[in-house]
Amino acid sequence: MGFKDWVAKITGRLEPEPVAVTPSPAAPTEQDIMNALDRAEAMVTGGVVPAPVQSRVKRITSTVRQTMPRLRNLGLGSPEAYSVMATATDYLPEAISGYLRLPRDWADSRPIEAGKTSLMLLIDQLDLLASTMDKIFDAVVRVDADALIAHGRFLQEKFGHASSGGTLNLGDQPPAPPPNSLDLP
């Protein structure tokens, strides 16, 4: 440090050294999430996991795929939107890869926690993810359903009540068939 730098530092005229700012990673795009779902499905194909695991993973990925186009209904910054993104890109792949790192026989037969094997724990985790994704899907679809209900109420207030549209008489007996002219008396 030179004399000028020392004087500038003492008098407070020294410009602070620039602080290096590391950019935050970009949020995953919808395509990134779809690619993550493809990778998760690929992790469980080819008989590397038992069928119950494969079917649960397929259920989760299918629900996330159905949810993605409607996720904007909840707001992209919502906790539910984050849960969908994290499930596809982190929670699901991590659960699968944690199980796949274990030897199959050991993972499927040795109890490791509360009398449950790794396979049983994985299935519990997948069931939790599936039920959570189902709830989120119901919430995003409910927004559209509520909009339909509200529109119907608006139309009723504006134009009056519509016809009932008929009713289904599920408890009534079906009418007797007409007599066939070819039947013998």
Side-chain angles (χ1 to χ4, degrees), residues 178-185:
N180 190 340
S181 61
L182 299 176
D183 286 341
L184 296 174

Side-chain angles (χ1 to χ4, degrees), residues 19-173:
V19 178
V21 177
T22 56
S24 299
T29 64
E30 190 169 329
Q31 188 59 49
D32 293 337
I33 293 170
M34 294 301 180
N35 291 342
L37 295 173
D38 291 340
R39 287 189 300 274
E41 289 175 346
M43 291 171 78
V44 298
T45 57
V48 296
V49 297
V53 171
Q54 189 172 6
S55 67
R56 282 169 169 82
V57 169
K58 183 65 178 160
R59 175 181 167 205
I60 294 166
T61 59
S62 174
T63 303
V64 170
R65 287 180 200 283
Q66 291 175 355
T67 304
M68 287 303 299
R70 292 181 156 80
L71 208 51
R72 289 176 193 84
N73 289 351
L74 296 176
L76 294 177
S78 71
E80 293 85 1
Y82 176 80
S83 292
V84 171
M85 181 274 304
T87 294
T89 61
D90 184 28
Y91 305 152
L92 181 59
E94 182 57 33
I96 297 166
S97 62
Y99 172 77
L100 290 176
R101 285 190 298 264
L102 300 170
R104 287 292 57 79
D105 291 340
W106 189 89
D108 297 348
S109 63
R110 286 278 165 89
I112 61 168
E113 182 180 273
K116 292 185 176 187
T117 65
S118 300
L119 175 60
M120 296 166 100
L121 291 173
L122 174 63
I123 287 174
D124 287 349
Q125 292 172 19
L126 295 176
D127 286 344
L128 178 59
L129 287 174
S131 67
T132 303
M133 291 302 104
D134 286 344
K135 288 175 188 172
I136 292 172
F137 180 69
D138 289 346
V140 297
V141 172
R142 186 70 184 162
V143 171
D144 289 334
D146 289 344
L148 180 64
I149 291 168
H151 185 68
R153 289 181 182 151
F154 162 76
L155 291 176
Q156 286 178 350
E157 287 178 19
K158 180 127 179 111
F159 300 114
H161 292 285
S163 70
S164 68
T167 58
L168 296 175
N169 296 321
L170 299 176
D172 295 345
Q173 294 292 328

